[in-house]
Amino acid sequence: MVALASAVVAAGTVTGMMSALDDGRGGDEARPDVSGTPFLQPLPYLPTPLSSATSGSPSPSASASKAKPGPEPSKSAATEPGTEPVSVRLYRHGDSQVLDWVRANPDDPRRQVIESRIADRPAAVWFADYTPSNITARVRAVTSAGAAKGGVPVVVPYAVPDRDCGGASQGGAPDLGAYDGWIEKFAAGLGSREVVVILEPDAIAQSDCLSEGERTARFAALARAGRVLKAANPKARVYFDAGHSDWNPPGKQAGLLRRAGAASAASSDGIFSNVSNFNRTDEEVAYVRRTLEALGGPAGLGAVIDTSRNGNGPPADGEWCDPAGRTLGQAPTLRTGEARIDAYLWVKLPGESDGCRGRPGTFTPDYAYDLAR
């Protein structure tokens, strides 16, 4: 099996999300440009005592995805959008690739399923480029729209230097000093209402490529970032990268997280896992609880889990790139009913390709339909 990384491709999408990318319009433009989320390359499998056999029905074969489009969307046992009180409702940003496709294809037989099962669900908004001149306005465009709708936005700052260890999602700020300045400008756009911040996917779990000195400097920058974000908006909930249950063992990941400030209430509300991956929710719940226990820190630290594509669990062959037979997971919600699990989120927007069914980061309707039906 291959351990699946969690982040995004700077040119596209990694985990079912939206990436607010710059088009050079300058700092006065408040409406973020949204394109796909970045994706990550697979990492070597690291066995962990937490691993358990996949339960539930077997994944459908690749041939099952060839069925004709057009069935009515089935009701999910997961929380449906709009059923939660305003105070705990996640915000669905009105600017994304899937919404663009839905608006442009009113007569497509796949449209109803894709719209009702994917486009109508709230997903994260990624900020995957280094654009200090207008990042404040672009973040504010999302958070202010969420406040106006009475919902909680999910935003993903993704600009740490040397991200993705030079892989497909490489990019980010030129150095950590520049990153510090970018994060300060990012934080200035958070507003004063509730917002969830998924801080730099893979920046902690995928740090083995760095020297010890570089790793220490990155972790110090992440700790500073957490403090800056929470100081700018005390209602912001900031979560740090815990990888996923098939990556580092809980004890090792907790040690890395502690060095990056994730155990401090001044910078952290907890951890996130499974971004852009397919591991089953129950496996991730067990993993993040063990990681939190090893991490220590305030009792209020919790975890969020990306459930966007994990309805059938991971493929048996370890395929990481748009694998066949996957389905949508638990609908996004801030009410999980699970101790220490603060939210199930769609950080990766389903239907945005990892690079096999379509160009990396682009919305691919065939892939979205296969996930949604």
Side-chain angles (χ1 to χ4, degrees):
M1 178 179 179
V2 177
L4 304 174
S6 67
V8 208
V9 189
T13 126
V14 118
T15 69
M17 326 135 219
M18 301 166 268
S19 175
L21 300 175
D22 178 34
D23 65 354
R25 291 183 295 191
D28 295 332
E29 178 58 65
R31 178 184 181 273
D33 289 322
V34 177
S35 70
T37 53
F39 67 87
L40 295 181
Q41 296 295 313
L43 298 174
Y45 172 60
L46 294 174
T48 160
L50 187 62
S51 297
S52 60
T54 300
S55 60
S57 58
S59 299
S61 65
S63 61
S65 66
K66 305 295 184 188
K68 304 259 183 185
E72 294 290 326
S74 60
K75 292 293 184 185
S76 169
T79 303
E80 293 295 331
T83 60
E84 295 179 317
V86 170
S87 62
V88 296
R89 185 182 303 158
L90 288 163
Y91 166 64
R92 187 205 68 166
H93 192 47
D95 203 358
S96 69
Q97 292 190 91
V98 62
L99 284 168
D100 287 345
W101 182 87
V102 165
R103 293 162 184 152
N105 295 273
D107 299 323
D108 192 292
R110 300 164 296 185
R111 179 181 181 273
Q112 183 181 12
V113 170
I114 290 173
E115 181 176 21
S116 63
R117 300 294 309 279
I118 296 177
D120 284 349
R121 302 282 173 94
V125 182
W126 289 69
F127 297 82
D129 58 338
Y130 175 72
T131 54
S133 64
N134 63 10
I135 187 63
T136 300
R138 289 160 50 216
V139 174
R140 184 179 294 125
V142 175
T143 57
S144 61
K149 295 282 189 179
V152 179
V154 179
V155 295
V156 185
Y158 188 63
V160 75
D162 300 315
R163 69 181 186 205
D164 197 24
C165 291
S169 298
Q170 62 186 295
D175 55 55
L176 290 174
Y179 179 71
D180 286 345
W182 185 84
I183 278 289
E184 288 179 1
K185 292 177 181 293
F186 186 102
L190 290 179
S192 59
R193 302 284 293 272
E194 289 180 273
V195 58
V196 173
V197 182
I198 304 298
L199 179 61
E200 298 292 344
D202 293 356
I204 298 173
Q206 190 180 25
S207 59
D208 288 347
C209 65
L210 304 176
S211 70
E212 180 57 29
E214 291 169 334
R215 190 179 303 115
T216 297
R218 174 185 283 187
F219 291 169
L222 292 174
R224 287 194 298 273
R227 291 193 297 270
V228 166
L229 293 164
K230 290 189 69 64
N233 179 358
K235 291 185 178 180
R237 297 186 62 81
V238 179
Y239 295 88
F240 284 69
D241 167 37
H244 57 74
S245 59
D246 283 333
W247 203 335
N248 292 325
K252 176 179 178 179
Q253 189 62 33
L256 299 174
L257 284 158
R258 194 177 303 110
R259 291 176 59 187
S264 168
S267 56
S268 171
D269 290 280
I271 62 179
F272 63 83
S273 76
N274 209 41
V275 169
S276 193
N277 284 288
F278 305 91
N279 296 326
R280 290 186 180 277
T281 302
D282 57 350
E283 294 173 351
E284 293 303 302
V285 167
Y287 165 70
V288 295
R289 283 176 175 163
R290 291 183 62 182
T291 303
L292 286 168
E293 182 179 359
L295 176 63
L301 293 182
V304 299
I305 296 169
D306 186 355
T307 60
S308 59
R309 304 188 296 179
N310 71 346
N312 275 342
D317 61 2
E319 177 58 57
W320 65 273
C321 184
D322 301 336
R326 303 310 95 200
T327 64
L328 304 176
Q330 166 89 27
T333 181
L334 294 172
R335 287 184 166 180
T336 69
E338 293 280 355
R340 304 202 79 174
I341 309 302
D342 295 343
Y344 299 134
L345 302 177
W346 284 9
V347 186
K348 166 105 177 138
L349 189 62
E352 292 185 357
S353 177
D354 298 321
C356 293
R357 299 283 292 271
R359 289 187 299 107
T362 59
F363 179 75
T364 308
D366 280 343
Y367 181 40
Y369 181 75
D370 287 347
L371 289 167
R373 61 193 175 83

